[in-house]
Amino acid sequence: EAQVTQNPRYLITVTGKKLTVTCSQNMNHEYMSWYRQDPGLGLRQIYYSMNVEVTDKGDVPEGYKVSRKEKRNFPLILESPSPNQTSLYFCASSLSGTVSSYEQYFGPGTRLTVT
Amino acid sequence: AQTVTQSQPEMSVQEAETVTLSCTYDTSENNYYLFWYKQPPSRQMILVIRQEAYKQQNATENRFSVNFQKAAKSFSLKISDSQLGDTAMYFCASSGEIQGAQKLVFGQGTRLTINP
């Protein structure tokens, strides 16, 4: 089954404790992206990747890191989480990052709480 | 820059009624696409319908249709014969290319409740 997977689905952590949210897709998509969803703000892009080893900042990149060492994986790293990073996080992928008509496929979401 | 605005935070209708969700957008792109996504309580993001900006004909998918007014930069979603399973958060989004990269920008969302 074609899908985007994320782990963990739920995470409660404390301020300053490094964490990684994994994202993997099995559709051989070139483009991958991370979003955060907050009430009243919709989804906002954190980082995106056009292909392996190519990443760039989205609209809200502060406090996050990403890497794209393999085509299928795009982990999101919070090196020192803070309470304002409490949010619902989505990973998404698309066949190509240069064609705006291509649908983005979303993972199931990760609910992160930082205390 | 792309912006998308959904001015209705919440809506509620009775089952079988027709409901229209509003969305306005702004973009400097000539070639762009518009989407409606549904997010049920499971939180999964599900594509409902897509509209190419260069097409004048409004997109339709079963009970879902859009009213695309390009000059007014308006993109509303109409749900006919609403069902309990339509209860969800709905996001309007626009997609264009920024510096050669696909960019998907979302509105704030409208929480739709279908009452039995």
Side-chain angles (χ1 to χ4, degrees), chain A residues 37 59 97-98 100-101 104, chain B residues 39 44 50 95 97 102-103:
Chain A
Q37 180 182 344
D59 298 316
T98 59
S100 53
S101 63
Q104 290 197 20
Chain B
Q39 186 181 53
Q44 183 68 47
R50 176 206 334 246
S95 178
E97 288 180 29
Q102 178 188 137
K103 176 79 171 181

Side-chain angles (χ1 to χ4, degrees), chain A residues 15 18 20 30 42 67 88:
Chain A
T15 299
K18 181 178 178 179
T20 299
E30 290 188 349
S67 68
L88 177 60

Side-chain angles (χ1 to χ4, degrees), chain B residues 8-21:
Chain B
Q8 304 154 310
E10 295 186 11
M11 296 187 72
S12 178
V13 298
Q14 296 299 119
E15 192 176 7
E17 289 184 347
T18 294
V19 59
T20 298
L21 310 183

Side-chain angles (χ1 to χ4, degrees), chain A residues 9-10 31 35 37 40-43 45 48 50 59 88 90 94 96-104 106-109 111, chain B residues 31-33 35 37 39 42-45 47 50 52 89 91 95-109:
Chain A
R9 296 288 309 278
Y10 301 89
Y31 179 90
Y35 298 88
Q37 180 182 344
L41 297 176
L43 281 77
Q45 189 180 54
Y48 66 93
M50 297 288 282
D59 298 316
L88 177 60
F90 285 98
S94 178
S96 169
T98 59
V99 180
S100 53
S101 63
Y102 285 167
E103 176 184 353
Q104 290 197 20
F106 286 82
R111 170 71 70 187
Chain B
N31 187 24
Y32 58 92
Y33 297 80
F35 305 86
Y37 281 88
Q39 186 181 53
S42 66
R43 302 199 312 246
Q44 183 68 47
M45 294 290 286
L47 179 63
R50 176 206 334 246
E52 291 94 334
M89 181 75 85
F91 290 100
S95 178
E97 288 180 29
I98 305 294
Q99 296 178 333
Q102 178 188 137
K103 176 79 171 181
L104 190 61
V105 175
F106 289 85
Q108 303 89 331

Side-chain angles (χ1 to χ4, degrees), chain A residues 72-114:
Chain A
R72 63 183 293 129
N73 296 323
F74 190 44
L76 179 69
I77 303 158
L78 285 72
E79 295 216 329
S80 184
S82 63
N84 65 12
Q85 293 179 298
T86 292
S87 187
L88 177 60
Y89 291 86
F90 285 98
C91 181
S93 73
S94 178
L95 186 62
S96 169
T98 59
V99 180
S100 53
S101 63
Y102 285 167
E103 176 184 353
Q104 290 197 20
Y105 294 82
F106 286 82
T110 295
R111 170 71 70 187
L112 172 65
T113 302
V114 184

Side-chain angles (χ1 to χ4, degrees), chain A residues 32-84:
Chain A
M32 298 185 75
S33 182
W34 276 102
Y35 298 88
R36 60 177 288 173
Q37 180 182 344
D38 301 291
L41 297 176
L43 281 77
R44 294 176 294 166
Q45 189 180 54
I46 302 171
Y47 269 95
Y48 66 93
S49 171
M50 297 288 282
N51 213 325
V52 176
E53 301 293 358
V54 181
T55 64
D56 209 345
K57 296 177 181 178
D59 298 316
V60 288
E62 293 77 20
Y64 305 95
K65 285 178 58 177
V66 293
S67 68
R68 187 97 179 270
K69 293 184 171 60
E70 304 166 282
K71 196 172 188 178
R72 63 183 293 129
N73 296 323
F74 190 44
L76 179 69
I77 303 158
L78 285 72
E79 295 216 329
S80 184
S82 63
N84 65 12

